């Protein structure tokens, strides 16, 4: 049963520290997404990769956030320096985009980040 | 731009009664529409999608959704609600860049 995995599941850190979240998409999927979920803002798209190339990161605060795909099996989201307002659950999702343009996303379990 | 709206933040139903969670869409071209469910402390799970064909789409856990082009709606339905259906439900539409645009979510509570 293929699944998206995310590490760590929980992270508590102090303001100013670097945070790195990792995601392993489902093998063979060619799209990867990073979302942030909070009570106030709901589900926000942060970054979107297709075939490892970044297509859209307009939702990401670029002064402190960065997203990369070093290879097809790993996506990373980094926050440096972290701030209390970054506290949220961060989800990674992957999908297989075909010629029809029809695909569903498979979400990981999320990383719950708390910045104190 | 492609978008969806979920007009209800909260829906409450009694167990055994039919449930409807509403979604309306705004798209240019043919809509690709989706429903996802999120249980507490979990990621979103795909329920069903409409691409083309029959307006009534059947999905997981007994859910179905009706695509209505004239009303630009894609409401999620289930004939008989279970307490275990209580969760957060998201409607979504494929964006112009083949990304996914999610609604704000509707919290469904099914009471015994």
């Amino acid at each position: 049963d293929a699944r998206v995995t995310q590490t760590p599941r929980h992270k508590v850190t102090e303001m100013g520290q670097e945070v790195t979240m990792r995601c392993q998409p489902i093998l063979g999927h060619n799209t990867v997404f990073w979302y942030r979920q909070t009570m106030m803002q709901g589900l926000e798209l942060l970054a979107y990769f297709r075939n490892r190339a970044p297509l859209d990161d307009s939702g990401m605060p670029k002064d402190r956030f960065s997203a990369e795909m070093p290879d097809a099996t790993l996506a990373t989201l980094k926050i440096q320096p972290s701030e209390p307002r970054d506290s949220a659950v961060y989800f990674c999702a992957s999908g297989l985009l075909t010629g029809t343009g029809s695909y569903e996303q498979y979400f990981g379990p999320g990383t719950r980040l708390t910045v104190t | 731009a492609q978008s969806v709206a979920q007009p209800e933040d909260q829906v409450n139903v009694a167990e055994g009664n039919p449930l409807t969670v509403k979604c309306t869409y705004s798209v240019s071209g043919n809509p690709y529409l989706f429903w996802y469910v999120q249980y507490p402390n979990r990621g979103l799970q795909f329920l069903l999608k409409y691409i083309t064909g029959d307006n009534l789409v059947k999905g997981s856990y007994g859910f179905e959704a009706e695509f209505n082009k004239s009303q630009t709606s894609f409401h999620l339905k289930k004939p008989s609600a279970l307490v275990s259906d209580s969760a957060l439900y998201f409607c979504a539409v494929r964006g112009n860049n083949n990304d996914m645009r999610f609604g704000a979510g509707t919290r469904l509570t099914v009471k015994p």
Side-chain angles (χ1 to χ4, degrees):
Chain A
D1 188 21
R3 297 186 182 190
V4 175
T5 59
Q6 290 184 247
T7 57
R9 293 294 312 277
H10 302 272
K11 177 72 176 178
V12 180
T13 191
E14 291 183 349
M15 181 175 63
Q17 297 299 306
E18 177 179 301
V19 175
T20 298
M21 291 169 271
R22 293 176 175 82
C23 167
Q24 182 173 8
I26 292 174
L27 189 64
H29 281 186
N30 57 6
T31 61
V32 173
F33 300 80
W34 282 104
Y35 294 93
R36 176 171 63 184
Q37 186 177 36
T38 61
M39 290 291 292
M40 294 300 294
Q41 299 297 328
L43 196 64
E44 301 174 275
L45 176 65
L46 296 176
Y48 166 30
F49 291 82
R50 190 188 308 163
N51 296 322
R52 295 177 54 203
L55 285 191
D56 184 359
D57 61 1
S58 59
M60 200 164 64
K62 296 188 183 56
D63 57 335
R64 298 184 300 108
F65 284 59
S66 62
E68 296 178 346
M69 279 202 74
D71 61 62
T73 65
L74 177 65
T76 62
L77 180 66
K78 188 175 296 185
I79 308 174
Q80 169 62 22
S82 58
E83 296 181 1
R85 59 179 168 152
D86 300 330
S87 298
V89 181
Y90 291 81
F91 288 104
C92 174
S94 72
L96 178 62
L97 179 63
T98 64
T100 64
S102 160
Y103 72 107
E104 54 265 26
Q105 295 183 11
Y106 294 83
F107 280 72
T111 293
R112 182 174 296 275
L113 174 65
T114 303
V115 184
T116 61
Chain B
Q2 321 290 69
S3 67
V4 290
Q6 295 181 242
E8 300 160 318
D9 293 335
Q10 174 93 27
V11 170
N12 298 315
V13 298
E15 187 175 31
N17 282 1
L19 70 87
T20 299
V21 183
K22 296 180 180 177
C23 173
T24 58
Y25 65 88
S26 175
V27 303
S28 55
N30 294 322
Y32 287 11
L33 297 161
F34 304 79
W35 275 103
Y36 287 78
V37 60
Q38 185 180 27
Y39 298 103
N41 301 313
R42 304 281 292 277
L44 278 68
Q45 295 177 35
F46 168 77
L47 272 180
L48 52 80
K49 65 182 178 183
Y50 171 83
I51 305 300
T52 185
D54 290 341
N55 290 340
L56 187 64
V57 180
K58 294 189 183 297
S60 307
Y61 312 121
F63 284 93
E64 57 191 27
E66 186 172 9
F67 172 71
N68 188 316
K69 188 173 183 178
S70 63
Q71 297 185 5
T72 62
S73 66
F74 189 57
H75 300 333
L76 182 70
K77 300 182 179 184
K78 188 173 183 180
S80 179
L82 301 172
V83 173
S84 57
D85 292 330
S86 298
L88 192 55
Y89 289 82
F90 291 92
C91 181
V93 63
R94 188 193 66 170
N96 289 331
N97 201 19
N98 282 315
D99 57 350
M100 198 79 71
R101 303 300 173 96
F102 287 89
T106 298
R107 185 165 300 281
L108 172 68
T109 302
V110 181
K111 299 184 178 180

